[in-house]
Amino acid sequence: MQLRILGPVQMNVHDEEVVIASTKVRGLLGVLAYRSNEPVSSSYLADALWDDDRPPNPPKTLQTYASRLRRALNESGFPAAVTNDNGAYRIAVESSNVDYKRFRILIRDGHQALGRSAHKRAAELFTTAVGLWRGPPLADVKTSWAQGLQDSLIMRDLLPAHCALFDAKLALGDVEFVMDRMPALLSGHPHDDGLAELWMRVLTIAHRSHEVEAFFRDHCQRLKANLDGVPSPKLIQAYQNSSKSNSTTDRPTRPLRVPPPPRDTPSFTGRAELLTRLDTLLLGPERAASVVALDGRPGVGKTALIRRWAHSRQSHFPDGMLHLDLNGYSHMSQIEPATVVSTFLDDLGVLPARVAKMGVDDRMALLRHTLTGRRSLIVLDNVRDSQHVRPLLAATGNCPVVITSRQRLTSVAVHDGAEHVTVPALTDDEAATLLQMRIGRRAVDEPEAVDELVALCDRLPLAIWIVGEHVAARPEVSVHDLAGELQHTRRLLDAGSHGDDDSPTLRSAFSWSYGALRPREREVFQRLGFLPGVRFSVEAAAAVSGLHRGDVDQPLDALVGAHLVEQERAGRFRMHDLLHRYATDRAQHDEPLAARDGATRRLLDWYVGTARNARHLLTVDPHEIPELPAAEPVEPLTFGSVEQAKRWFDLERSTVVALARRAATFGHHEAVWRLAACLHVPHDYDLPELLEIHELGRASAALLGEQRAVGGCLSNKGTTYGRLDDNVHAGECFEQAYESFKAAGDTYGQAVSQHNLGAVRLRLGHPLEAIMWHRQALDAFAATGDEWAIANVRRWRGDDCRELYRLDEANEYYRDSLELSRKLADHRGQGATLSRLAQLNLDTGRPDLAISTGREGVDAHDRIGDRGGVADILCLMALAHGELNAHGEAVAAAGEAAQIYAEMRNTTRQAHALEILGNAQAAAGEHHHAAEAWTAAAEVLGAQEDTRANDLRARAAQVVECEVPVPRSDATLPAPPKITAAPDSRTSAREDR
């Protein structure tokens, strides 16, 4: 089964061509096959299939052609499908079934074989690859687009493939093959400098160097006459080298030296897996690679690793090791390939006077010839990029080569078959051991301080070594104090500079990588320093950089390749802490004040806009947070589903929190309260932190005189106190919110405050007062027709009735609330009401119904990411499972709830869940586990509730001593949390849980 586009377009099934009579349909097949498995827009297809002869309605015509193509595919049984998604066509087909894709795979495999010096296999692969070409690609398509593509693919793919084939054949000594094939190529491409250079090399190898001068002269004349051009400097250099004496392949007259291995790295630790990996790749007759490229971020220990490996594997290389630092990232000038070759020849003992008379190519040929048959290792350390090192690989013979670079050397992998190995940071244990080697006993005496320093250093060996020197130079100061000093200042970047002038620092190491970037890449890197955290999206990077989304991909790719940024997943990146600090310092030093302010404002505008868009999907509250007028155009994210919006908040929450703090510090108060309001929607993560942010929002709104915003932030703050079961402070917040809304003349906000105050009174044990507040709120909302608010209040009216044991009436209120929430597609409201119904079923002796209702509630809370709501219902379900003697299910539910509460730092509820867990384990006969759970609950409570904590400890001791279940305490769920959040429709996200 083959789609053939390297020539006339054909579809072959079982080696027989399937006739497609229409030229345009064949053309459509060819274009889609060229872009197989990716969407191709209608406009692209129109440009490919027509020039001036376009039909009146190209999209309609394309639909007709696509339909005919689908029919041909179906009737022939060819395993491919053509789809259309919003006007973009796509053919889904196995890559091996398209001759062009198969060609690319063969070329890749050929280069990898060439890199392993498997020249015979490489020649076979290249021969198969070039044999797939039957003529110009897509020869049926006669448009200017097709002509351009044909020229491009021939120059980009076919000619390099022929050259690679010739290189493999020359390495095998098959000069006749190359001499036979090249004239036809030269005739077809008489102006190609690359072919001309190769032909002059072939003439030299074939001892026909006397023909080089005439060929070069004719080639130059053709360039001048036909293109008004001149030969490239590389071609001129090749001519000069070919014109010199060919005696460079003679062996040196004196015995060769055995160069020693590189100096070993002191205080080396760990890296066992990497050392073994290098053994696998480079040692033995069946080594997996002949070129290995070690890459990694600055200071990660690439040079130290290869020095240790080379030094400890000397016996495998009896003819010595050639190693050189090429200064790719250094304050010194980088060492060029010609100098490297001369240095290696000198290391091998070749007479310098003889080398001095040779051109670069002759020197490389001599080095390759000299190394042939020798068991040596080549180490090319600190390489700048692929262009820096590739010229040297042809001169290394069959010797294994190790390259180290801060840059991922993609070209070396593609064209020379190099095996990539990225060197990671040390493990925590390895890093601690390395630091202990330098500071000795002090590390043993202060292990926690050592852990702090390891984390601060990002486990980078260079950083750990520098910090070790810093600590060792201050023996009278505690390690803990030094760690604190380095943690809270930017001093770590410059630590280590107290000694010689050339003492390395992290700042200098990072600066070499930074200096290698292009201007746009430097600008993006330093503006990433304005981000408050080390994790970010490509869209946030575009916003802070002041670029369009599509313009930031290339700079980010370059930063990833330079190991200054890591890509964690599609569209998301991470900077290590030390590099982020360095980027921040560069931005503050290099960016003018106006640019810094602009970057900060763009970032705030983008995050506020995106958070508003996410919040819109996560709540059915019809009242939006007002837009923040953007100082410069930004492109906030939009979301197509609740899941996408929830996912964004999950990923970005810590950044939004940090931005709110920064905005408050620098006076961007309009952004502070908006970010705080948006954060209230997914409010079940870190509740104490959420209290802080809502207070920042309140303070900012107060400074602006925005009374509605003040009321909204206070309302959200009260909600959060309610989640922490701190009803006294919750009530104070709601009372203040009521006064703020009253001052603003906001009757709706006042009604929400009444609703919230009713919830607090109920939780404090005053149901009659709660009914009064809830009736007032319900009347106010009924007058406005706000069904979302009505559903919330009815839910609380059900709680009022349940507290007064009017259970039928409570059930009726809950059912009304649930019906309204379902009508509004309010999943949060549904989850909250189902939680109440589950509790009601448990109270009335129907645990089976409590479990089934609880499952519905868990599903509703899961849909909007309300983890606290999930945990509340899991506790109820654990109790219900216990009533049914399903103790395993009870243990699972209570354990999951305890974990969720712990992540939210909701200690009161965490202790409650742990108590239920212990009860379930005791009932199941798991006495020691029950004791552990109750003890953990007591520790979580701490000094908050000494009496309850002591009771839990006593029960734990009793159950271990007796190993029999003890009577469990009353473990019903605490009063339901307050639900409604920010009352102001324009200032805050209101919540109902």
Side-chain angles (χ1 to χ4, degrees), residues 801-858:
C801 293
R802 183 160 61 91
E803 188 70 15
L804 294 170
Y805 298 98
R806 290 149 48 179
L807 302 184
D808 290 339
E809 194 174 347
N811 184 66
E812 184 177 347
Y813 274 117
Y814 291 150
R815 293 294 174 186
D816 288 346
S817 175
L818 184 61
E819 183 179 350
L820 271 178
S821 294
R822 284 173 173 164
K823 173 184 174 182
L824 299 170
D826 178 9
H827 299 296
R828 191 179 300 279
Q830 292 174 49
T833 306
L834 288 165
S835 177
R836 269 40 166 225
L837 284 168
Q839 180 69 67
L840 186 62
N841 287 325
L842 187 62
D843 291 345
T844 53
R846 294 177 291 183
D848 52 341
L849 286 178
I851 291 170
S852 60
T853 306
R855 286 178 181 144
E856 288 186 67
V858 166

Side-chain angles (χ1 to χ4, degrees), residues 159 166 178-190 195 199:
L159 290 184
F166 296 152
V178 182
M179 295 288 293
D180 182 57
R181 297 291 186 93
M182 277 208 70
L185 275 179
L186 287 166
S187 176
H189 305 278
L195 287 175
W199 182 244

Side-chain angles (χ1 to χ4, degrees), residues 901-978:
Y901 288 137
E903 292 170 0
M904 294 168 56
R905 291 203 292 161
N906 191 338
T907 54
T908 301
R909 301 247 168 157
Q910 182 188 0
H912 172 71
L914 287 168
E915 184 176 0
I916 295 175
L917 174 62
N919 293 342
Q921 289 168 329
E926 300 173 1
H927 307 303
H928 285 283
H929 288 152
E932 290 173 358
W934 288 331
T935 302
E939 291 174 355
V940 167
L941 288 172
Q944 296 179 52
E945 299 182 38
D946 288 340
T947 302
R948 186 177 168 207
N950 290 335
D951 175 63
L952 287 166
R953 291 189 183 94
R955 293 168 62 195
Q958 181 182 357
V959 77
V960 170
E961 181 179 349
C962 302
E963 291 204 353
V964 296
V966 298
R968 71 181 188 183
S969 66
D970 180 15
T972 57
L973 193 67
K978 188 198 66 55

